[in-house]
């Protein structure tokens, strides 16, 4: 095994707009765990909500926490019960830790288990630190063709994949996607891979619309310009008015999929939903997606690296929050450089 240092650096969020670089002991791998040297960590919309608002969706910061739930790394040590041959492997980590005895997990839907834990939200420190121990089964081996940044984005792609699975697309389906951030851009790539006929993406920012066109979508700047009669509407914005108006864009019998978190409430146009039997589906994280996403990346079906708009060295991580780029898509923090 590699010689490990005894201390490491960690970015610790103490409260609203108060994130500090601190020295902590390097953790050890407990039974059933692997210890990772962290590679790249993606910055997510929810990380911004935690930093600026002290909460994201229903998770609230009450104690200091290390953010970072989109990550991969290299296994540097293994705990009891784990094959030592895994040391040296590059992995992408699923940050969701279910209670496998829960009713929902036993029904195959561990992502809606209310007792699940999650790396990088209050009560389980995430990957904005140099070393982190995770359950061995959450660490999925990746081939060399997948970069550290793409390894971190398997998480984002997984959210999009769960949304696409909920959308239940038929070949040739007409799909409207709201939001050209990373999730929306992966939703459109997955919809294409699934054989969607027409994909329209709504996004106010020019640069993001251009990226979406490069990935094969038609684009409009505003939902009112998108028209209607879509088979599926997928919201990746979390904006209340977009959720409402999106329900009006699907044809009778269509589906509406809500991925974006954000506004805690939104109104739903009930006649449009009831009289036209529109199906509304929520999307909570993901279940069993890592092997599928890794296989798609390996097959070259998805462009992940092309969505990275900026990489920051670990010491400058705070810039992701305090100095956002106007044309940001995905910011990556390189905790350790790929080598
Ligand atoms: Zn995220």
């Amino acid at each position: 095994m590699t010689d490990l240092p005894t201390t490491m650096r960690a970015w610790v969020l103490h409260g609203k707009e108060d994130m500090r670089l601190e020295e902590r002991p390097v953790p050890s791998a407990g039974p059933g765990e692997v210890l990772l040297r962290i590679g790249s960590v993606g910055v997510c919309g929810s990380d911004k909500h935690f930093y600026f608002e002290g909460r994201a969706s229903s998770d609230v910061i009450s104690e200091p926490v290390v953010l970072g739930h989109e990550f991969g790394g290299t296994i540097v040590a293994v705990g009891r019960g784990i094959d030592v041959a895994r040391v040296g492997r590059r992995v992408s980590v699923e940050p969701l830790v279910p209670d496998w005895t829960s009713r929902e997990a036993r029904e195959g839907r561990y992502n809606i288990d209310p007792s699940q834990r999650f790396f990088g939200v209050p009560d389980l420190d995430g990957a904005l630190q140099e070393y982190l121990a995770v359950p061995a089964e959450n660490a999925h081996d990746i081939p060399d063709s997948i970069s550290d940044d793409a390894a971190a984005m398997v998480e984002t792609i997984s959210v999009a994949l769960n949304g696409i699975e909920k959308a239940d697309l038929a070949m040739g389906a007409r799909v409207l996607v709201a939001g050209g951030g990373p999730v929306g851009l992966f939703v459109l790539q997955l919809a294409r891979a699934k054989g969607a006929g027409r994909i329209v993406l709504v996004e106010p920012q020019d640069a993001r619309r251009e990226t979406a066109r490069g990935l094969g979508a038609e684009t409009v700047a505003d939902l009112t310009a998108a028209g209607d009669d879509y088979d599926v509407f997928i919201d990746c914005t979390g904006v209340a008015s977009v959720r409402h108006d999106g329900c009006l864009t699907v044809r009778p019998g269509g589906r509406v999929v809500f991925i974006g978190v954000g506004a805690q409430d939104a109104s739903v146009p009930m006649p449009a939903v009831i009289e036209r039997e529109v199906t509304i589906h929520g999307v909570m994280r993901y279940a069993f997606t890592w092997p599928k996403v890794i296989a798609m990346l390996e097959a070259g079906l998805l462009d992940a690296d092309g969505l990275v708009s900026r990489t920051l060295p670990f010491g400058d991580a705070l810039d992701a929050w305090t100095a956002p780029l106007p044309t940001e898509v995905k910011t990556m923090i390189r905790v350790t450089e790929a080598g």
Side-chain angles (χ1 to χ4, degrees):
M1 292 203 192
T2 344
D3 273 341
L4 294 172
T6 53
T7 60
M8 64 172 184
R9 296 175 301 163
W11 279 104
V12 183
L13 181 63
H14 287 263
K16 271 189 210 178
E17 297 186 52
D18 179 12
M19 196 153 86
R20 308 173 203 161
L21 192 56
E22 297 177 2
E23 194 165 285
R24 288 188 165 188
V26 169
S28 51
E33 290 184 337
V34 293
L35 180 67
L36 304 180
R37 187 177 65 238
I38 301 298
S40 294
V41 178
V43 179
C44 175
S46 64
D47 296 321
K48 301 214 166 168
H49 289 295
F50 277 127
Y51 181 84
F52 288 107
E53 293 145 36
R55 68 174 300 156
S57 215
S58 50
D59 292 310
V60 179
I61 295 183
S62 49
E63 286 183 11
V65 64
V66 176
L67 297 177
H69 59 269
E70 305 175 1
F71 63 101
T74 303
I75 296 175
V76 292
V78 297
R80 186 155 43 83
I82 304 304
D83 188 353
V84 75
R86 294 200 70 189
V87 172
R89 295 269 169 79
R90 295 173 66 241
V91 295
S92 169
V93 177
E94 172 166 3
L96 199 169
V97 184
D99 168 3
W100 289 108
T101 67
S102 71
R103 180 182 59 184
E104 290 74 20
R106 283 153 49 137
E107 289 170 352
R109 299 180 69 189
Y110 63 79
N111 58 315
I112 52 170
D113 161 19
S115 61
Q116 68 183 263
R117 301 178 76 208
F118 196 79
F119 283 100
V121 306
D123 150 64
L124 192 58
D125 282 339
L128 273 182
Q129 53 187 3
E130 289 168 302
Y131 294 88
L132 179 67
V134 302
E137 68 268 23
N138 286 54
H140 297 260
D141 288 358
I142 53 168
D144 288 342
S145 62
I146 296 180
S147 69
D148 283 2
D149 293 350
M153 276 187 286
V154 174
E155 201 272 346
T156 319
I157 302 168
S158 287
V159 173
L161 179 58
N162 188 13
I164 283 290
E165 287 177 347
K166 295 295 188 299
D168 196 19
L169 295 186
M171 298 288 282
R174 294 157 49 88
V175 182
L176 179 61
V177 183
V183 173
L185 293 171
F186 283 124
V187 162
L188 97 75
Q189 293 188 60
L190 290 165
R192 239 185 115 189
K194 268 259 182 183
R198 182 174 179 222
I199 307 166
V200 179
L201 186 120
V202 187
E203 164 60 48
Q205 281 189 30
D206 292 340
R208 288 178 168 194
R209 279 204 306 281
E210 200 180 309
T211 305
R213 284 194 293 273
L215 294 168
E218 295 170 48
T219 61
V220 290
D222 189 276
L223 192 55
T224 54
D228 55 17
D229 208 35
Y230 292 92
D231 296 295
V232 178
F233 169 73
I234 303 177
D235 176 61
C236 307
T237 70
V239 174
S241 62
V242 174
R243 289 173 178 157
H244 173 279
D245 296 347
C247 292
L248 304 171
T249 65
V250 296
R251 55 181 288 206
R255 293 173 90 83
V256 170
V257 178
F258 290 136
I259 299 181
V261 296
Q264 301 281 311
D265 281 296
S267 69
V268 171
M270 292 318 291
V273 170
I274 292 172
E275 292 166 17
R276 303 182 314 134
E277 293 199 348
V278 168
T279 302
I280 295 181
H281 223 306
V283 172
M284 176 58 174
R285 296 175 178 156
Y286 29 68
F288 307 111
T289 52
W290 255 252
K292 299 179 202 174
V293 173
I294 290 168
M296 281 188 283
L297 284 170
E298 197 176 5
L301 288 169
L302 301 170
D303 177 16
D305 291 302
L307 302 194
V308 176
S309 42
R310 162 166 72 160
T311 58
L312 293 168
F314 187 58
D316 296 339
L318 206 50
D319 284 2
W321 285 266
T322 57
L325 293 182
T327 57
E328 195 156 272
V329 179
K330 177 57 85 181
T331 294
M332 278 292 157
I333 295 163
R334 299 258 175 89
V335 179
T336 55
E337 283 295 333

